[in-house]
Amino acid sequence: MKEIKTVGILTSGGDAPGMNACIRSVTRASICAGWKVFAIYRGWEGLIHDEVREFTTESVSSIIQRGGTILKTARSEEFRTPEGRGKAYRTMQKYGIDALIVIGGNGSLAGAQAIAQEYDVPVIGIPGTIDNDLFGTDSTIGYDTALNTIVECVDKIRDTATSHDRIFFVEVMGRDAGFLAQNSAIAAGAEAAIIPEDSTDIDQLANFISRGIRKSKNSSIVLVSEKDGGAMHYAERVRKEYPQYDVKVSILGHLQRGGKPTAFDRILASRFGVASVEALKEGQRNIMVAIRNDQIEYVPIARAIKIDKPIDRELINVLSILSI
């Protein structure tokens, strides 16, 4: 196996609070290992178009507290093509990049897997997404910060909901995963969470109305995943099927992505960054760094992106009990 002397680092897909802490960690751990570090701007698109520059320790000073990503990020349709990946690989050759460390979500790691397979490049994935939907890791960079942002917003919405005896449907991100909705519902004392993982034959809205709205409880907060029409869909249903209730919708949108990362995300990102460099030193390749039961583990990228991460059914039960 070729000795690694130079690594490239990029962030791809949606930004997540804590990515900068991870960039800092990867950069300094790599330099500590005696390697050169090249930062790739705007993700896979930047690798295709040669947006690359060498990083030093100073390059990552005073970024641990910043949200977003200093490397920028972009979607890249061109990278989805063999020709695009070929251009990206030639950029790597130009700078002598021996291995890639990719911070991002499902799509970003799928891209990492593709270039690794086609050009025999050692790739290490780091899970950076607020959705927390990657299999094999208890948490992803940005998830804790997003969760805290949602809870802060819901606390404020609660004041209005109570003052006006309203039902508020609050839509949160998460794509096909309900981790943000479910856990923020518990943390904010919401009455229900409507999530993809709980979409059985039981009508979630009817179930909520039947058990969650009592004569003594006219105001309610319902957290809704953005999938299948999201909060607007359920609000319209209530207006039609239960016109006696005053319904409002709040879509938090990209508000959830921003802000300073929490201490938890900064520590997690720092651990992931160091672990990614250690993995390369051990000869690991095509794996995602993960954390399970507070221990760093390695998960094959193929498993991380192909297997659906299950939600803890106990959380659904906890919310159901506490919302009476």
Side-chain angles (χ1 to χ4, degrees), residues 57-68:
T57 300
E58 291 75 24
S59 302
V60 292
S61 293
S62 300
I63 67 168
I64 194 170
Q65 78 281 7
R66 290 168 60 183

Side-chain angles (χ1 to χ4, degrees), residues 118-129:
E118 290 171 16
Y119 295 98
D120 195 28
V121 176
V123 170
I124 305 295
I126 297 179
T129 167

Side-chain angles (χ1 to χ4, degrees), residues 249-301:
V249 170
S250 183
I251 299 173
L252 300 187
H254 285 79
L255 181 75
Q256 298 159 81
R257 285 199 190 279
K260 292 185 175 185
T262 58
F264 180 89
D265 272 331
R266 298 182 198 195
I267 294 165
L268 181 68
S270 299
R271 292 179 70 184
F272 277 168
V274 170
S276 67
V277 173
E278 292 298 316
L280 285 174
K281 286 163 69 176
E282 293 170 15
Q284 297 282 349
R285 54 198 292 149
N286 306 344
I287 57 98
M288 181 188 78
V289 178
I291 191 160
R292 283 192 280 206
N293 300 318
D294 204 35
Q295 297 297 311
I296 294 291
E297 295 187 11
Y298 302 145
V299 179
I301 287 177

Side-chain angles (χ1 to χ4, degrees), residues 145-191:
T145 305
L147 202 56
N148 279 279
T149 299
I150 293 167
V151 169
E152 185 179 348
C153 292
V154 173
D155 286 348
K156 292 176 179 177
I157 290 169
R158 171 79 71 183
D159 294 342
T160 295
T162 304
S163 298
H164 293 273
D165 288 341
R166 286 172 175 160
I167 300 174
F168 259 94
F169 286 97
V170 182
E171 182 177 308
V172 299
M173 288 180 168
R175 286 204 313 180
D176 297 330
F179 299 100
L180 281 174
Q182 189 67 45
N183 282 297
S184 59
I186 293 171
E191 281 65 41

Side-chain angles (χ1 to χ4, degrees), residues 40-319:
I40 299 151
Y41 286 79
R42 296 198 311 121
W44 298 116
E45 191 74 0
L47 190 57
I48 290 171
H49 297 290
D50 196 359
E51 298 178 38
V52 180
R53 77 177 177 91
E54 188 172 355
F55 261 22
T56 64
T57 300
E58 291 75 24
S59 302
V60 292
S61 293
S62 300
I63 67 168
I64 194 170
Q65 78 281 7
R66 290 168 60 183
T69 164
I70 63 164
L71 296 184
K72 311 294 184 184
T73 181
R75 310 286 181 185
S76 179
E77 289 302 319
E78 192 175 359
F79 189 77
R80 296 176 186 271
T81 67
E83 294 77 17
R85 293 191 290 273
K87 287 183 186 177
Y89 181 64
R90 286 191 288 277
T91 303
M92 289 179 62
Q93 289 180 306
K94 175 182 175 180
Y95 293 96
I97 295 172
D98 303 310
L100 278 178
I101 295 175
V102 177
I103 308 168
N106 199 290
S108 307
L109 299 194
Q113 184 185 34
I115 200 168
Q117 289 174 340
E118 290 171 16
Y119 295 98
D120 195 28
V121 176
V123 170
I124 305 295
I126 297 179
T129 167
I130 67 168
D131 299 341
N132 196 30
D133 60 348
L134 284 162
F135 177 82
T137 187
D138 291 343
S139 193
T140 59
I141 294 169
Y143 172 63
D144 185 70
T145 305
L147 202 56
N148 279 279
T149 299
I150 293 167
V151 169
E152 185 179 348
C153 292
V154 173
D155 286 348
K156 292 176 179 177
I157 290 169
R158 171 79 71 183
D159 294 342
T160 295
T162 304
S163 298
H164 293 273
D165 288 341
R166 286 172 175 160
I167 300 174
F168 259 94
F169 286 97
V170 182
E171 182 177 308
V172 299
M173 288 180 168
R175 286 204 313 180
D176 297 330
F179 299 100
L180 281 174
Q182 189 67 45
N183 282 297
S184 59
I186 293 171
E191 281 65 41
I194 297 177
I195 59 173
E197 293 89 343
D198 201 25
S199 57
T200 59
D201 292 336
I202 299 171
D203 185 327
Q204 292 185 74
L205 179 64
N207 191 40
F208 155 66
I209 294 289
S210 65
R211 67 173 174 78
I213 300 288
R214 308 189 311 264
K215 289 180 180 178
S216 61
K217 194 173 189 178
N218 290 325
S219 68
S220 292
I221 303 280
V222 182
L223 273 291
V224 184
S225 288
E226 60 190 341
K227 194 180 179 188
D228 297 332
M232 293 299 293
H233 166 73
Y234 288 101
E236 284 303 315
R237 276 195 57 193
V238 171
R239 291 186 183 109
K240 290 177 183 176
E241 299 171 33
Y242 309 95
Q244 67 270 35
Y245 297 117
D246 184 10
V247 182
K248 296 295 179 184
V249 170
S250 183
I251 299 173
L252 300 187
H254 285 79
L255 181 75
Q256 298 159 81
R257 285 199 190 279
K260 292 185 175 185
T262 58
F264 180 89
D265 272 331
R266 298 182 198 195
I267 294 165
L268 181 68
S270 299
R271 292 179 70 184
F272 277 168
V274 170
S276 67
V277 173
E278 292 298 316
L280 285 174
K281 286 163 69 176
E282 293 170 15
Q284 297 282 349
R285 54 198 292 149
N286 306 344
I287 57 98
M288 181 188 78
V289 178
I291 191 160
R292 283 192 280 206
N293 300 318
D294 204 35
Q295 297 297 311
I296 294 291
E297 295 187 11
Y298 302 145
V299 179
I301 287 177
R303 285 177 60 80
I305 62 178
K306 286 179 183 174
I307 301 175
D308 289 335
K309 182 175 180 176
I311 202 159
D312 187 347
R313 308 299 298 186
E314 184 188 347
L315 296 174
I316 296 173
N317 187 48
V318 166
L319 181 59

Side-chain angles (χ1 to χ4, degrees), residues 22-44:
C22 194
I23 293 164
R24 172 183 180 269
S25 178
V26 170
T27 299
R28 294 192 171 178
S30 297
I31 292 170
C32 191
W35 301 342
K36 277 188 173 184
V37 183
F38 281 98
I40 299 151
Y41 286 79
R42 296 198 311 121
W44 298 116

